[in-house]
Amino acid sequence: MNGMVPHLNELVPFLITCLSDKKALVRAITCWTLSRYSHWVVSQPHDSYLKPLMTELLKRILDPNKRVQEAACSAFATLEEEACTELVPYLGFILETLVFAFSKYQHKNLLILYDAIGTLADSVGHHLNKPEYISLLMPPLIQKWNILKDEDKDLFPLLECLSSVATALQAGFLPYCEPVYRRCVSLIEQTLNQHMANSQNPEQFDAPDKDFMIVALDLLSGLAEGLDMHIDSLVSNSNIMHLLYQCMQDPMPEVRQSSFALLGDLTKACFSHVHPCISDFMPILGQNLNPDLISVCNNATWAIGEISVKLGEDMRRYVPMVINQLIIIINRPNTPKTLLENTAITIGRLGYVCPHDVAPLLAQFVRQWCSSLRNIRDNEEKDSAFRGMCAMITVNPGGVVQEFIFFCDAVASWSTPKEDLKEMFHKILHGFRTQVGDENWQRFADQFPDQLRDRLSAMYGV
């Protein structure tokens, strides 16, 4: 790629003209070729490259040739991923084209069109939530939703697309949420019933395609994330918590993975419905902290963290079910970065609500914990995790002494901590300095890289 960069300012305009070539094969392969350079295009002045590329690709999405339609739609999805919110000024124009494609596309290309719309929703997020965009986008999606039967596998890409759209539209999805919610619950229930029938009588009943259940769980997650507290009435008028309990115990890892994601999202959106089920759910979550199944483990870990924040000190009785396994995971070599970060956040959150239960174990995880969270951006999850670390250090300062340089480094990773969190950091840093004395502190601080020393001095006066 680097070798190509000097030539792209001439090459890309040439390729954009090739999108209008009279040969369909040239138009199709040019779509693919240009998508490889999306990253470069987005980094350049929009009027020179992004706008002309987008305009021509959208024309090709409506090309009379099916192969060109397919290539253009895939290339546009790639461009969306690179451009993200840079596309916001052009949303009306983009949506008009994609919606017109609904009336033009045959079966195979419709599936790629769903992907392009879902990717657009992921890329621009809440910017999609405008009445004029909703009135363009939702009618054709709901029309397809109504036509497709429950056993039609074309529901999969449509459900995935709607999940992204629901998350992006937030409250804008409210007028459409009830039939979508009810059908998802029905799909889950039908699949579970089929699975039970097949288990009891395999000669008479076929095994279900569990992908129906997985995509339905994922769409419910999208609804919970997008609608937030507005999902409360839908949950209260359904048996979703009972179904979720069954899905969480499914032998198929992908079903459990999606179940734990939905549990975390429902915990955030409407905890009053999750609360009565915690004593049933927590042992299952604890049993799924197996890092060999990375995505299952990741989602179970995240759900435990979300539950602990809502449950507060009532989490105490569940800490022994999960804490030892979380410490094993955080210390395990070659644990993927996302799982490490989620594990650290959940340990921090457990320490936040139950410091006296987790703090005695501090020395077993504090170094890895600090290393895992030093590279993530300031956000609410990081905030609650660091509050937990401060609470644990207050209870057991001896647990951090050997690794205090790692704590200092993790504190310095914050750009703008909230004032009360910053005060906690200040108190711990100055407390440690007072404890060891100025001379020892100086020797300790001399080990710091210059950047760390300057940052701690500027932000915390140590």
Side-chain angles (χ1 to χ4, degrees), residues 125-180:
H126 66 89
H127 297 285
L128 203 56
N129 185 12
K130 286 194 173 167
E132 61 270 32
Y133 299 155
I134 295 171
S135 61
L136 264 176
L137 180 60
M138 287 308 299
L141 286 175
I142 294 298
Q143 186 199 3
K144 297 291 179 193
W145 168 265
N146 289 333
I147 291 169
L148 291 172
K149 294 188 163 55
D150 280 357
E151 57 278 6
D152 193 328
K153 290 190 178 181
D154 286 359
L155 266 179
F156 299 162
L158 177 56
L159 282 160
E160 285 169 5
C161 171
L162 278 170
S163 178
S164 296
V165 170
T167 306
L169 292 187
Q170 299 170 347
F173 198 80
L174 270 172
Y176 310 96
C177 67
E178 188 161 352
V180 171

Side-chain angles (χ1 to χ4, degrees), residues 59-199:
K59 286 181 192 167
R60 296 288 66 83
I61 282 173
L62 302 178
D63 197 280
N65 183 284
K66 286 181 187 175
R67 282 185 68 176
V68 178
Q69 291 172 7
E70 179 184 356
C73 225
S74 294
F76 197 74
T78 305
L79 183 65
E80 288 169 342
E81 285 177 338
E82 288 291 348
C84 291
T85 51
E86 306 277 350
L87 295 178
V88 170
Y90 318 110
L91 264 176
F93 179 43
I94 293 168
L95 285 170
E96 280 169 15
T97 304
L98 296 180
V99 166
F100 187 68
F102 266 109
S103 59
K104 201 172 168 69
Y105 277 21
Q106 301 301 305
H107 174 256
K108 183 187 171 194
N109 285 355
L110 259 181
L111 308 186
I112 298 163
L113 181 61
Y114 293 144
D115 180 58
I117 290 170
T119 306
L120 180 68
D122 291 337
S123 301
V124 301
H126 66 89
H127 297 285
L128 203 56
N129 185 12
K130 286 194 173 167
E132 61 270 32
Y133 299 155
I134 295 171
S135 61
L136 264 176
L137 180 60
M138 287 308 299
L141 286 175
I142 294 298
Q143 186 199 3
K144 297 291 179 193
W145 168 265
N146 289 333
I147 291 169
L148 291 172
K149 294 188 163 55
D150 280 357
E151 57 278 6
D152 193 328
K153 290 190 178 181
D154 286 359
L155 266 179
F156 299 162
L158 177 56
L159 282 160
E160 285 169 5
C161 171
L162 278 170
S163 178
S164 296
V165 170
T167 306
L169 292 187
Q170 299 170 347
F173 198 80
L174 270 172
Y176 310 96
C177 67
E178 188 161 352
V180 171
Y181 179 90
R182 295 210 178 290
R183 189 170 189 183
C184 286
V185 172
S186 169
L187 283 168
I188 294 165
E189 193 156 26
Q190 287 172 49
T191 311
L192 286 170
N193 289 341
Q194 247 180 298
H195 172 66
M196 198 179 297
N198 168 257
S199 303

Side-chain angles (χ1 to χ4, degrees), residues 8 12 22 67 78 133 151 172 196 200 224 276 281 285 294 299 338 340 345 384-385 397 399-400 404 413 450:
L8 289 179
V12 168
K22 63 180 188 293
R67 282 185 68 176
T78 305
Y133 299 155
E151 57 278 6
M196 198 179 297
Q200 290 167 357
F281 287 176
L285 288 166
I294 292 164
N299 289 0
T338 313
L340 265 185
I345 285 166
S384 56
V400 77
F404 199 68
S413 75
D450 292 345

Side-chain angles (χ1 to χ4, degrees), residues 277-422:
C277 311
I278 296 289
S279 58
D280 293 325
F281 287 176
M282 280 306 299
I284 300 170
L285 288 166
Q287 288 153 18
N288 279 275
L289 297 176
N290 170 11
D292 293 330
L293 295 171
I294 292 164
S295 298
V296 178
C297 184
N298 200 28
N299 289 0
T301 302
W302 176 69
I304 291 165
E306 291 299 336
I307 288 168
S308 63
V309 170
K310 295 287 188 180
L311 204 55
E313 58 185 30
D314 289 346
M315 192 72 187
R316 285 193 73 172
R317 59 188 281 216
Y318 304 113
V319 170
M321 286 181 192
V322 298
I323 191 63
N324 291 329
Q325 190 57 28
L326 291 170
I327 291 172
I328 289 168
I329 293 166
I330 204 170
N331 286 304
R332 197 173 186 246
N334 305 320
T335 300
K337 184 169 169 286
T338 313
L339 179 55
L340 265 185
E341 289 169 1
N342 259 331
T343 304
I345 285 166
T346 294
I347 291 172
R349 289 176 149 188
L350 288 168
Y352 180 45
V353 295
C354 307
H356 292 276
D357 300 84
V358 187
L361 306 169
L362 199 50
Q364 295 177 34
F365 62 79
V366 66
R367 180 174 181 166
Q368 262 306 114
W369 190 96
C370 293
S371 303
S372 304
L373 293 186
R374 69 181 299 275
N375 292 321
I376 69 169
R377 292 194 311 272
D378 297 7
N379 61 28
E380 285 302 318
E381 292 186 348
K382 184 174 177 177
D383 180 276
S384 56
F386 270 81
R387 286 171 192 276
M389 178 52 72
C390 292
M392 289 186 281
I393 290 172
T394 305
V395 171
N396 177 20
V400 77
V401 168
Q402 296 301 316
E403 316 291 358
F404 199 68
I405 190 167
F406 291 93
F407 176 72
C408 294
D409 181 54
V411 166
S413 75
W414 277 88
S415 303
T416 49
K418 290 178 183 168
E419 273 310 310
D420 61 332
L421 181 60
K422 190 175 178 181

